[in-house]
Amino acid sequence: GMTLRDPMLVKFMEEMAATGKEGHGTVVGKARKYLFEIAAGYNDTYVGFMDRILTWLWNDIYDGVVIDKEGLAKMRDISKKMPFVVIPCHRSHIDYLLISYVFYYNNIQLPFIAAGTNLLFWPMGHIFRNLGAFFIRRTIGGKALYGEVLAKYVKTLLEEGLPIEFFIEGGRSRTGKMVMPKYGLLSMIMQAYREASFDNLALVPIFIGYDKVIEEKSYLRELGGASKEKEKIRDLIKSRKVLRKRYGRVYMNVGEPMLLQPYLASLDVPIEDMTTTERRILYRRMGYEIVNEINKVSVVSPSSLVAAGLLCHYRRGISHDDLMDILSELLDYLVSREARISSTLIANREKALNDALGMFESAGLISKMGPEEEDEEDEFEETIYTVDEDKRLNLEYYKNNILHFFVSLSFMSISVLSDGSNRIALSEVMEDYRFFKELFMDEFIYDNKIDDREEIQRVVSYAHDRGMLVLHDHDDGSTSIEVTGKGRASLQSFGGLIHNYLESYWVVSRGCAYLKNRVRQEKDLIRKVQKLGTKMYKKGEISKAEALSQENYKNALKYFIESGAIAVSGNKGDKGGVFLSLEDRNLLESLRRRLFKFM
C-alpha cells in the first residue's frame, strides 16, 4: 500500500494516464498487479520451519558452516546504525538460505531478497515469498510502469529500515568465478537512496563458497552446450541422492562495506549534476568495486586449491609428491597476497589436502593409482593421480573459485615463457600484460585501484624473490628478465592456470574463419566453434579439455566483437541471437597471430 501511495509513483501514473492510452483506473490496476507479483510476504511460521530444515542441511549434507566472526560483528554494528543492502556472490540456489540462516542465529535482521521470477513455481515460490523473497523479472522489456513500481517498492523497504539482499551477478555463476556485475538493481537502490530521507546506506559485499556445489552436474551440461533448464520442484527433490553425500564445508565472509554518504561525497562531480551516461559509468564502477571486494574476501578452500594444482600442469597424471610441491607453491603465493585461507588448511594442511583429494576421488573426478600392499619397498611405487578428460571441467569450476588471486602472476608467467630465448625485456612483458588484460576483459575482475605497472612490478618481484627470475638492468635504463632453470617449472604451473582460456580464445579466433563470406547467427557460429574445438583437441592443437567451454567461447566472441574484428546486426531477442559477420580480416588475423605466440 505504501508503495502505491509514493508521491513520485502517483505522479508517474497520473502522467501516464494523461497520455490517454489507458485510463487512470487501468494504470493503477496494472501497478497494483505488478506490486502483487513483486512483493514479499513475511511469516514467522515459515521461518521456524525453514530453520529446522536448514539446520539439517548444513549439518547432514555439509560439514557445517564456517563464518567470519569479525565480519559478522561489523555487519551487526552497521545494521544498528543505518539501512543496509547485502550483496553476495551467487554460486548456488542455497546461497540465500545460508545468509538468512546465519543472520537469524546472529540476531541480524533478515533481509528481503530479490529473486528471479524463475523461482515463482509452486510451492517454492509461495515458501520463498513468505521467507521474505520479492520477485523481479529478468527483463523489464519496455514496461516503464513495472520498472517504476519495482523502484518504489525497493525505496519503501529501505525507508522502513528493512535490509535488502540481491545478487549483483544476476544469475548463478556456472563457471565458479565471478560473473561481470549487472547494475540494474544497484541503480534502483542508488535512486532510492537519493530520493529517500535517510542519511547513509551501507552496501555490504558477502562471499559465499562451497567445498562442493550441489548443482555441479547441471552447470557442466550448460558449459558443454545444453540449454538452461527451467527450475522445477522435482529438481530440488531429485537432489535426494545428493543429500546423502558429504559435501565438505560452506564458507561465508563479509567484505568491507561501501558507505554511500562518504563514497558519493568523494566523487569529483556530485551525482545530482551527472548526466545519465556519467551516472551509468559510476554504477558500473561501483559494481566492479563490489565484486572485487567479494573476490578479496573469498576463501581458499582445500578443494579449490587441489583442483588448481591438478589442472595447472601439462602432463596426463601427477605423482602425489609433485602435486604437494605445486600446492605448496600455490599456497605460498596466496599467503603473500593475504588471501583468506580456510581454517582447515591452516590447522592441518596435509589432512585438508588429502581429504579434498579423497572427496574428488569418491565423486569419480580423479583416479588414483597407489602402491600395491606387497610392494612397499619398490621405489617406483608412488601414488599417481589422473583426471579423465571429461572430468576436467568439473575441477575447473573449483579452480575458478580462486583463479582471480593468480591472474596477474599467470599473465606475467605466460609472457615470460613465450619468448623462445630465456630473456625478455620488462617492457615487452608489460605490453603482453596489457594485451591479456584487455583480451580477458569479460573473464576476470581486475582491481582498478592498482595501476598496471605497479601490479607487474609486484608479481615480478615475487618471482624474483623466490628465485624464479633474474633481473638485469641495462645502461639505457631498461630491464630484462631471465628465467632460471628451477624457475621454469614454477612459472609453467602459474601460467598453466589460465592456459585453457588462451586455448578457448584461440579456438574462437580460428572459428571466425567460418564468417569469411557469409553472415551467421551467433548460436550457429558457437555450434561450429564447439565442433572445431573438439577436433583441435583430438588433433592435439590444444591440450586442455577444459578449454572446450561454451562460456569461454561466448566471452571470446564478445571480445572479437568489441575489438572491431566482427560486426553485429539484428536483435539480441532474435531466435538464435544476433547475426555476425567479418568486419576486419586483418585485425582478426593479427589477433590470431598474437594469440598463437602464447600457445
Side-chain angles (χ1 to χ4, degrees):
M2 281 175 64
T3 302
L4 293 174
R5 290 197 298 277
D6 181 291
M8 291 173 101
L9 180 59
V10 169
K11 184 168 174 250
F12 182 87
M13 291 191 291
E14 282 166 357
E15 284 170 3
M16 201 169 157
T19 61
K21 279 194 189 135
E22 296 173 315
H24 190 260
T26 314
V27 173
V28 174
K30 262 193 181 166
R32 185 170 283 117
K33 198 172 108 231
Y34 288 149
L35 186 61
F36 191 71
E37 175 189 298
I38 295 167
Y42 194 75
N43 185 327
D44 281 339
T45 329
Y46 281 83
V47 175
F49 166 67
M50 271 324 258
D51 168 34
R52 286 205 295 281
I53 291 182
L54 294 179
T55 302
W56 163 80
L57 180 77
W58 307 131
N59 300 317
D60 276 26
I61 303 178
Y62 284 101
D63 294 327
V65 181
V66 185
I67 298 159
D68 133 44
K69 295 277 190 288
E70 283 167 40
L72 264 189
K74 202 179 341 181
M75 186 80 246
R76 197 175 305 112
D77 187 41
I78 277 186
S79 71
K80 290 178 181 148
K81 293 183 181 151
M82 63 186 83
F84 64 93
V85 176
V86 177
I87 307 180
C89 59
H90 203 3
R91 300 283 152 85
S92 166
H93 269 321
I94 53 183
D95 295 343
Y96 18 81
L97 304 176
L98 176 72
I99 290 179
S100 297
Y101 183 80
V102 171
F103 281 17
Y104 182 75
Y105 274 97
N106 288 278
N107 298 322
I108 297 171
Q109 191 169 8
L110 296 192
F112 280 71
I113 304 158
T117 44
N118 58 321
L119 290 179
L120 266 176
F121 58 91
W122 171 263
M124 294 319 285
H126 175 73
I127 295 172
F128 286 144
R129 204 185 284 278
N130 280 287
L131 289 171
F134 62 97
F135 294 91
I136 294 182
R137 299 179 182 183
R138 283 253 187 265
T139 48
I140 291 174
K143 293 192 166 53
L145 180 60
Y146 176 82
E148 203 59 30
V149 171
L150 176 59
K152 296 305 174 263
Y153 177 69
V154 166
K155 177 179 157 190
T156 307
L157 291 176
L158 291 172
E159 287 200 304
E160 289 295 290
L162 301 167
I164 288 178
E165 172 187 325
F166 78 97
F167 296 104
I168 194 155
E169 300 165 278
R172 288 165 296 157
S173 163
R174 303 307 201 259
T175 57
K177 57 186 173 50
M178 290 297 297
V179 177
M180 298 298 138
K182 315 267 184 296
Y183 40 93
L185 246 179
L186 182 63
S187 64
M188 278 183 191
I189 284 163
M190 296 299 290
Q191 187 188 335
Y193 171 67
R194 288 172 47 226
E195 290 172 9
S197 47
F198 42 88
D199 299 332
N200 206 348
L201 175 66
L203 307 181
V204 188
I206 288 191
F207 166 80
I208 298 173
Y210 301 86
D211 275 339
K212 208 160 183 302
V213 280
I214 285 178
E215 292 98 326
E216 192 182 293
K217 287 210 171 55
S218 70
Y219 290 169
L220 281 179
R221 280 199 304 274
E222 286 175 31
L223 292 177
S227 51
K228 290 197 179 129
E229 292 173 4
K230 273 252 184 284
E231 322 294 344
K232 299 182 200 69
I233 180 77
R234 201 176 66 232
D235 299 339
L236 296 174
I237 292 172
K238 210 164 56 190
S239 333
R240 280 243 313 284
K241 233 187 18 264
V242 162
L243 303 182
R244 287 196 302 275
K245 294 181 191 159
R246 281 278 172 180
Y247 265 59
R249 289 182 163 73
V250 185
Y251 306 90
M252 178 175 149
N253 279 345
V254 179
E256 200 44 59
M258 182 186 274
L259 305 180
L260 286 188
Q261 194 201 11
Y263 186 89
L264 295 178
S266 70
L267 298 174
D268 300 338
V269 178
I271 194 164
E272 294 70 43
D273 303 342
M274 285 185 180
T275 62
T276 317
T277 311
E278 287 172 326
R279 214 169 283 161
R280 205 170 284 145
I281 292 169
L282 169 70
Y283 297 156
R284 199 178 145 178
R285 193 179 86 203
M286 289 172 74
Y288 276 92
E289 283 177 28
I290 290 163
V291 288
N292 187 43
E293 187 56 39
I294 294 175
N295 268 343
K296 272 189 193 153
V297 298
S298 59
V299 171
V300 175
S301 67
S303 55
S304 54
L305 187 66
V306 167
L310 287 165
L311 294 178
C312 71
H313 64 93
Y314 291 86
R315 297 185 300 284
R316 253 186 309 204
I318 188 167
S319 72
H320 183 84
D321 297 350
D322 286 352
L323 179 63
M324 289 303 147
D325 290 347
I326 287 182
L327 294 179
S328 72
E329 274 208 85
L330 297 179
L331 205 48
D332 278 350
Y333 180 67
L334 289 164
V335 169
S336 83
R337 289 292 311 253
E338 294 176 8
R340 309 259 186 128
I341 313 292
S342 105
S343 50
T344 46
L345 268 173
I346 294 170
N348 184 341
R349 180 190 293 195
E350 199 165 323
K351 180 181 183 310
L353 296 176
N354 284 323
D355 285 353
L357 281 162
M359 187 172 80
F360 285 150
E361 195 194 347
S362 65
L365 301 187
I366 59 175
S367 322
K368 172 179 168 183
M369 256 179 84
E372 289 165 31
E373 309 313 297
E374 61 272 17
D375 286 344
E376 291 287 279
E377 66 286 341
D378 184 344
E379 78 229 56
F380 295 117
E381 291 292 336
E382 44 182 9
T383 302
I384 305 286
Y385 299 103
T386 50
V387 185
D388 291 340
E389 55 185 72
D390 59 338
K391 295 288 189 272
R392 290 182 71 95
L393 262 176
N394 297 59
L395 291 175
E396 174 73 7
Y397 179 92
Y398 299 102
K399 177 195 95 177
N400 278 340
N401 290 173
I402 57 170
L403 189 55
H404 55 275
F405 289 118
F406 293 100
V407 168
S408 45
L409 180 59
S410 299
F411 288 173
M412 186 274 292
S413 304
I414 284 184
S415 169
V416 169
L417 294 171
S418 69
D419 202 86
S421 65
N422 266 348
R423 276 197 183 198
I424 185 172
L426 181 59
S427 57
E428 201 178 319
V429 174
M430 192 69 229
E431 212 174 297
D432 287 342
Y433 176 76
R434 292 204 170 108
F435 169 69
F436 287 140
K437 228 178 126 171
E438 192 176 318
L439 181 71
F440 296 128
M441 206 162 41
D442 290 306
E443 297 291 353
F444 306 116
I445 307 281
Y446 307 107
D447 185 348
N448 290 326
K449 292 184 180 144
I450 297 176
D451 83 26
D452 295 347
R453 193 163 290 283
E454 215 178 310
E455 187 60 40
I456 277 292
Q457 223 62 69
R458 195 181 62 178
V459 291
V460 167
S461 324
Y462 176 84
H464 172 260
D465 296 345
R466 295 291 188 288
M468 300 173 208
L469 301 174
V470 182
L471 299 178
H472 301 280
D473 291 323
H474 303 292
D475 297 343
D476 61 0
S478 67
T479 303
S480 62
I481 295 176
E482 186 184 354
V483 181
T484 63
K486 75 177 185 44
R488 180 165 288 276
S490 307
L491 293 170
Q492 268 172 341
S493 300
F494 289 128
L497 287 168
I498 63 154
H499 197 262
N500 57 303
Y501 287 94
L502 278 171
E503 292 191 333
S504 300
Y505 280 54
W506 165 243
V507 171
V508 174
S509 76
R510 292 267 304 270
C512 287
Y514 284 119
L515 298 173
K516 257 200 201 96
N517 25 28
R518 59 174 289 196
V519 173
R520 284 182 191 271
Q521 277 196 294
E522 187 171 10
K523 230 186 198 150
D524 178 33
L525 182 65
I526 292 276
R527 246 200 321 273
K528 290 264 188 215
V529 164
Q530 254 170 323
K531 261 202 181 122
L532 175 70
T534 310
K535 276 187 192 154
M536 287 170 71
Y537 178 68
K538 291 208 161 117
K539 275 170 39 189
E541 290 177 58
I542 57 175
S543 61
K544 296 193 181 248
E546 63 274 29
L548 309 175
S549 153
Q550 179 151 346
E551 204 60 36
N552 294 9
Y553 293 156
K554 284 181 180 158
N555 287 338
L557 204 49
K558 213 166 145 193
Y559 169 75
F560 289 122
I561 291 168
E562 279 162 10
S563 66
I566 291 174
V568 176
S569 52
N571 279 322
K572 260 283 183 239
D574 292 343
K575 225 174 147 46
V578 292
F579 289 91
L580 303 174
S581 53
L582 196 52
E583 174 76 15
D584 186 336
R585 181 170 308 181
N586 296 340
L587 177 60
L588 187 64
E589 201 36 57
S590 73
L591 285 169
R592 201 158 80 189
R593 273 201 302 274
R594 183 141 199 200
L595 273 173
F596 187 62
K597 180 183 136 187
F598 303 112
M599 302 296 290

